[in-house]
Amino acid sequence: MDVNAAVAAVAAIAGVLTGVIAMLAFRWSEREQKRPTRSSLHTDAVLPPGVDTVLSVLRSSAVVLDEADGVVKASSAAYALGLVRGGKLAVEPMLQMARDTRRDGEIRQVELDLPRRGTGRGEVLAVSARVAPLGSRLVLLLVEDLTEARRIEAVRRDFVANVSHELKTPVGALSLLSEAVMDASDDPEAVQRFAGRMQIEATRLTNLVQELIDLSRVQNDDPLEDAEPVRVDELVAEAIDRCRHQAGTKQITMAAGGTADLRVWGNRGQLAAALGNLVENAVNYSPARTRVGIAARRVNAPGGEHIEIAVTDQGIGISEKDKERIFERFYRVDPARSRATGGTGLGLAIVKHVAASHGGEVTVWSAEGQGSTFTLRLPEAATARDRAHQQTARETRAGGAGLDEEAGRSTPTSPDSTAYETLPAPEVLP
């Protein structure tokens, strides 16, 4: 009897202990499931509702970091800029900013120059980084690419500096010459000499102001608003007539040739100014008793037939390093010669903008001591007119969309060095 009671008591105690152990095991299991593990940090770091949608429409590169500096979310632009690599933020200054913001909750912003990936030329990527807390555990990093803005600002700054310098030179010369005229009032020969110099400087100042106006106009105006078919023969004749006096002074022969009865579609005034600048440069940079040729031909190109107008000279030529910059505003291959001929350094910049705004391009072939060939390539009148009409119809159907901007992105490429020589023999004009 006592034995059975003892066995029953032991069994009861064992059952109670088993129940207690099972309950403790269940509680411990629940606690372990709720405890954050190293692998669950990224899983639990979920973006607040709506943040993912907002980040997807931002123009800035966006990166969201968790409390372990892991990347929870990164835009494609962030990967393109090289900010994120292997799931980690690869820019140490930005990473340190994120840690500081996570610690004190303050918003921070800084501008940085980062090495550009994939280039060995020391180019930098200018960015503006802004870090802000996103909830209690996440940090948001927004990065804006400032490279293009800085480039435009540098161009604007250089342009203002160049304009100031170019204007100060003739204005200062006129001031000094006027004082010299006043001091030499009793010397008729000196007055005449100084007055001649004043006329030269006044002409240079007038040309500079006019070319600044022309450059501003071709950059801001739409030449296709007043477009019309323009005969290439008339443009060539006008350019030759414009430079006839300078060419005659240097005994330079000007010749015109190529395919006759060609037409381009565009603004006659701008096209005449562009071709006139090319011919004028050819005459100014050619030695005496040489030859300048202007020839036109039709060529096949993607998108329709184009007209090429080539201006060839036997001048000093252009070096390889200068060919990359000759279409920049105020850039001169030979500053001394430019000042002697009254050049402003804006002629080729105007040509480039006129060509681009008409859906064409200007290219150059040159060798030092052998001369240069500048080729102005423009859409033929019929092709360009049909394209313009199609574009207008598309804009009307779309509710007035803007003009095609691809024309303004044309950049110079290397032309065929035989562009002029392969044309028919030119006709020498008196």
Side-chain angles (χ1 to χ4, degrees), residues 246 250 252 279-287 337 341 343:
Q246 298 98 305
K250 299 172 66 174
I252 292 177
V279 176
E280 186 174 13
N281 275 359
V283 171
N284 288 337
Y285 284 89
S286 293
R337 182 185 293 266
T341 58

Side-chain angles (χ1 to χ4, degrees), residues 96-115:
Q96 186 60 46
M97 287 174 58
R99 292 168 179 168
D100 294 341
T101 296
R102 187 184 299 113
R103 184 181 63 253
D104 55 26
E106 292 186 4
I107 298 176
R108 290 174 168 81
Q109 183 169 351
V110 68
E111 291 189 3
L112 301 171
D113 290 335
L114 308 178

Side-chain angles (χ1 to χ4, degrees), residues 144-296:
E144 190 76 24
D145 187 358
L146 303 178
T147 307
E148 183 65 15
R150 284 194 181 181
R151 186 192 68 81
I152 293 175
E153 176 61 22
V155 170
R156 185 197 65 80
R157 188 169 53 250
D158 292 343
F159 179 74
V160 172
N162 286 327
V163 168
S164 300
H165 173 74
E166 295 294 337
L167 288 174
K168 285 169 61 178
T169 301
V171 170
L174 287 172
S175 177
L176 293 175
L177 288 169
S178 63
E179 293 179 5
V181 169
M182 294 177 63
D183 294 339
S185 58
D186 296 334
D187 187 350
E189 292 183 1
V191 170
Q192 186 175 5
R193 184 171 66 253
F194 292 143
R197 288 295 305 167
M198 290 178 68
Q199 286 184 336
I200 294 175
E201 296 299 334
T203 301
R204 177 178 299 175
L205 181 60
T206 301
N207 292 338
L208 176 59
V209 172
Q210 183 59 50
E211 291 203 346
L212 285 171
I213 295 173
D214 292 341
L215 180 60
S216 177
R217 182 180 295 114
V218 300
Q219 287 180 318
N220 297 324
D221 292 351
D222 180 12
L224 299 183
E225 288 184 356
D226 301 321
E228 59 179 334
V230 181
R231 289 178 56 90
V232 175
D233 294 343
E234 295 178 358
L235 294 177
V236 172
E238 187 173 337
I240 290 176
D241 188 64
R242 168 179 167 178
C243 304
R244 191 180 302 276
H245 177 70
Q246 298 98 305
T249 302
K250 299 172 66 174
Q251 298 181 359
I252 292 177
T253 301
M254 288 193 294
T259 306
D261 199 25
L262 298 176
R263 288 175 173 82
V264 294
W265 181 260
N267 184 291
R268 178 183 176 84
Q270 292 189 14
L271 293 174
L275 184 58
N277 286 345
L278 291 180
V279 176
E280 186 174 13
N281 275 359
V283 171
N284 288 337
Y285 284 89
S286 293
R289 293 178 293 277
T290 55
R291 183 169 176 262
V292 171
I294 308 101

Side-chain angles (χ1 to χ4, degrees), residues 16 49 82 87 395:
V16 171
E395 292 172 0

